């Protein structure tokens, strides 16, 4: 049996960042990363690909290029965790022992939650920026559409980057406006939830764009089925009496987002909370019932916005607390729930939502540099020009610029 001091499950945004943050604090630490994929994706770039701003190839790198040289890389997936024996079980049945475990496998897109969606993607105007490689089809469809109906759907929360379903809608609408076809297109937003955005401070700015683009808003309207060849989508509505009504709507373009859940090996384990997400303490990011298990990123059951921006603040907290724990010292670092969602309301302006637990605003910049409740050019510049480099060269490398953990 193989054994490592720290085993990290997942080599995405969270797994690589936390490995680098650990190594920065103790370069002699024996770290293994378990990650089956040959490619690492910068998913925040997919919205920009869908809006024709980024080239698809700028959003990924070979996994080997981001995998830190100090870590042992197992190119497999984890099939289960044996927390009683401090072991993870890999897909081929082999086991790896750990002293401390970090769970960072992200989340699972539940395509089967919407009948016919997965098969429909990539033709008949049906797309999703959430599917790897599909954002360029969103952009092609947007450019081709000159009239007709465009539907944008948002599934029940929680999802990663909660603003991304409407980001796709605003960037598409902006393109149609600039090309003088907006008036010929009936744009509808169908949101399973009851509000435009979960943090009220950002809603007025978003509403002004809804008005500008003439978008019809539908709340508690959940996409349940798609028929690509027939160009029809079925939405389920729950009325105040709890009765459901299904409505079929024809479309020329459909940007759909699937419901999301924790990966099965977490969801079906004793490490999950009642909703299936990893059951972590809000501030320390340590498992509620296992003192040598930590977690971060999209798999986490903490109430923050599931974003790479959250990971940037979580990684140093996990690194510091995990090392303190290995040395039997108290855990002092605290995560305050920071997450960020740059809402691309038009090509050239962004509403930069930054908030922590319970919607508490946590702006990085003073309001004279960037007022997060308004659409600004400064925030667009940050997203389009700075954040990709921040991701690849700062966060993944363990440089904790503006990410110093709070104290407990
Ligand atoms: P991921 O980066 O998804 O990585 C998970 C890794 O775990 C993957 O490499 C996977 O192969 C691996 N894995 C899975 N299962 C196993 C297993 N069983 N064993 C081993 N390894 C496994 N965030 C922002 O901050 N700003 C944005 O503007 C933004 N926009 C977004 C737009 C879109 C369209 C999407 C899809 C996401 C967006 N995000 C944004 C969210 C951001 O991409 C995620 O929050 C972030 O990638 C989470 O990191 P993670 O490491 O938890 O998950």
């Amino acid at each position: 049996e193989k054994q490592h001091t720290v085993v990290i499950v997942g080599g995405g945004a969270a797994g690589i960042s936390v490995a680098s943050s650990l190594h920065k604090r103790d370069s002699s630490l024996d770290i293994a990363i378990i990650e089956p994929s040959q490619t690492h994706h910068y998913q925040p770039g997919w919205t920009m690909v869908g809006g024709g701003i980024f080239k698809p190839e700028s959003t990924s790198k070979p996994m080997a290029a981001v995998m830190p040289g100090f870590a042992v890389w197992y190119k497999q997936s984890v099939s289960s965790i044996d927390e009683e024996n401090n072991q993870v079980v890999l897909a081929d049945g082999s086991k790896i022992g750990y002293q401390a475990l970090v769970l960072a496998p992200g989340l699972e897109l539940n395509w089967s939650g919407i009948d016919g969606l997965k098969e429909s993607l990539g033709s008949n105007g049906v797309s999703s920026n959430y599917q790897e490689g599909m954002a360029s089809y969103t952009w092609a469809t947007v450019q081709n559409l000159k009239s007709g109906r465009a539907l944008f759907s948002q599934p029940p929360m929680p999802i990663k980057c909660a603003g991304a379903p409407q980001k796709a809608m605003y960037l598409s609408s902006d393109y149609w406006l600039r090309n003088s076809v907006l008036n010929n297109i009936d744009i509808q937003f169908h949101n399973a939830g009851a509000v435009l955005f979960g943090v009220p401070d950002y809603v007025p700015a978003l509403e002004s764009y809804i008005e500008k683009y003439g978008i019809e808003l539908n709340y508690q309207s959940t996409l349940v089925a798609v028929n690509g060849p027939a160009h029809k989508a079925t939405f389920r509505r729950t009325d105040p009496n709890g009765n459901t009504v299904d409505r079929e709507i024809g479309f020329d373009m459909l940007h759909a987002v699937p419901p999301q859940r924790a990966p099965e090996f977490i969801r079906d384990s004793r490490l999950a909370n009642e909703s299936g997400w990893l059951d972590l303490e809000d501030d320390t990011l340590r498992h509620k019932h296992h003192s040598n298990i930590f977690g971060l990123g999209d798999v986490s059951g903490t109430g923050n916005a599931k974003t790479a921006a959250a990971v940037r603040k979580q990684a140093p907290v996990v690194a510091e607390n995990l090392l303190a724990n290995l040395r039997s010292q108290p855990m002092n670092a605290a995560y305050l729930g920071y997450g960020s969602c740059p809402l691309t309301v038009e090509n050239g302006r962004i509403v930069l939502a930054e908030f922590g637990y319970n919607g508490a605003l946590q702006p990085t910049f003073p309001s004279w540099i960037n007022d997060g409740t308004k659409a600004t050019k400064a925030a667009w510049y940050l997203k389009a020009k700075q954040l990709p480099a921040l991701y690849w060269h700062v966060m993944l490398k363990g440089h904790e610029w503006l990410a110093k953990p709070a104290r407990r």
Side-chain angles (χ1 to χ4, degrees):
E1 182 211 309
K2 301 209 171 61
Q3 173 81 30
H4 296 278
T5 310
V6 180
V7 168
I8 299 172
V9 180
I16 302 291
S17 301
V18 78
S20 297
S21 283
L22 282 163
H23 181 76
K24 217 166 189 122
R25 285 170 175 74
D26 180 355
S27 60
S28 68
L29 201 64
D30 165 26
I31 302 174
I33 300 178
I34 306 171
E35 167 60 67
S37 179
Q38 292 292 343
T39 312
H40 181 109
H41 298 287
Y42 174 61
Q43 300 166 44
W46 293 353
T47 295
M48 302 296 264
V49 174
I53 298 127
F54 285 0
K55 294 245 179 319
E57 52 277 16
S58 75
T59 62
S60 61
K61 286 189 182 181
M63 190 59 77
V66 299
M67 191 55 70
F70 58 77
V72 179
W73 176 17
Y74 293 91
K75 296 177 194 173
Q76 277 203 61
S77 56
V78 165
S79 56
S80 64
I81 311 283
D82 178 1
E83 69 277 8
E84 304 301 330
N85 295 303
N86 295 322
Q87 288 177 333
V88 299
V89 184
L90 305 189
D92 69 357
S94 60
K95 293 175 178 170
I96 301 177
Y98 58 80
Q99 276 181 53
L101 177 67
V102 181
L103 293 168
L107 57 66
E108 184 180 290
L109 300 172
N110 179 15
W111 294 103
S112 62
I114 300 174
D115 220 23
L117 174 56
K118 188 74 195 272
E119 309 83 279
S120 301
L121 288 178
S123 54
N124 298 306
V126 181
S127 196
S128 178
N129 290 348
Y130 276 72
Q131 169 63 21
E132 173 195 335
M134 194 53 66
S136 7
Y137 183 66
T138 304
W139 178 230
T141 306
V142 168
Q143 289 173 286
N144 284 333
L145 194 70
K146 309 280 187 252
S147 65
R149 184 179 293 136
L151 305 176
F152 294 84
S153 79
Q154 176 171 310
M157 295 291 133
I159 62 170
K160 52 181 159 185
C161 200
Q166 54 189 299
K167 293 185 203 178
M169 177 171 69
Y170 298 132
L171 287 179
S172 305
S173 304
D174 182 50
Y175 178 83
W176 294 325
L177 176 65
R178 286 169 201 258
N179 288 276
S180 311
V181 294
L182 184 72
N183 289 338
N184 308 331
I185 301 174
D186 166 19
I187 307 167
Q188 301 182 7
F189 187 49
H190 288 264
N191 181 354
V195 291
L196 192 53
F197 195 74
V199 182
D201 299 71
Y202 303 108
V203 171
L206 299 177
E207 278 174 343
S208 71
Y209 279 91
I210 295 282
E211 199 169 315
K212 174 178 171 186
Y213 299 132
I215 296 167
E216 179 195 305
L217 290 181
N218 298 270
Y219 293 114
Q220 284 161 325
S221 178
T222 308
L223 180 63
V224 291
V226 178
N227 183 337
H231 290 254
K232 289 208 160 90
T234 308
F235 294 90
R236 185 159 296 165
R237 252 201 179 133
T238 309
D239 71 17
N241 302 323
N243 303 318
T244 57
V245 184
D246 284 358
R247 193 161 58 121
E248 210 174 60
I249 303 179
F251 62 80
D252 297 285
M253 172 181 173
L254 169 67
H255 181 272
V257 178
Q260 300 170 28
R261 57 190 183 185
E264 196 175 3
F265 79 97
I266 297 292
R267 206 165 75 229
D268 292 349
S269 76
R270 280 173 304 222
L271 301 174
N273 65 19
E274 66 283 357
S275 313
W277 302 98
L278 190 61
D279 203 9
L280 301 175
E281 291 176 353
D282 285 345
D283 56 349
T284 64
L285 300 177
R286 184 167 79 170
H287 195 273
K288 283 187 183 162
H289 310 297
H290 297 276
S291 62
N292 62 342
I293 300 181
F294 290 77
L296 74 166
D298 293 345
V299 74
S300 166
T302 49
N304 57 279
K306 296 186 185 301
T307 56
V311 167
R312 195 168 66 79
K313 299 266 188 169
Q314 292 170 337
V317 172
V318 170
E320 190 176 324
N321 287 344
L322 184 150
L323 286 173
N325 199 66
L326 275 180
R327 296 165 185 156
S328 305
Q329 289 162 359
M331 298 187 293
N332 290 326
Y335 170 59
L336 305 180
Y338 176 87
S340 162
C341 192
L343 291 142
T344 51
V345 287
E346 62 176 277
N347 187 332
R349 279 182 200 267
I350 273 177
V351 174
L352 183 61
E354 292 181 285
F355 52 91
Y357 288 135
N358 303 315
L361 301 199
Q362 293 183 7
T364 301
F365 308 102
S367 60
W368 59 270
I369 295 182
N370 186 68
D371 180 350
T373 65
K374 297 199 167 67
T376 68
K377 289 183 181 164
W380 178 270
Y381 177 76
L382 182 75
K383 167 89 184 164
K385 304 286 184 207
Q386 306 295 323
L387 289 184
L390 183 75
Y391 181 85
W392 296 112
H393 305 301
V394 178
M395 181 174 132
L396 293 190
K397 304 285 189 210
H399 304 301
E400 296 163 7
W401 182 64
L402 292 175
K404 201 167 177 284
R407 300 288 106 197
R408 292 178 76 207

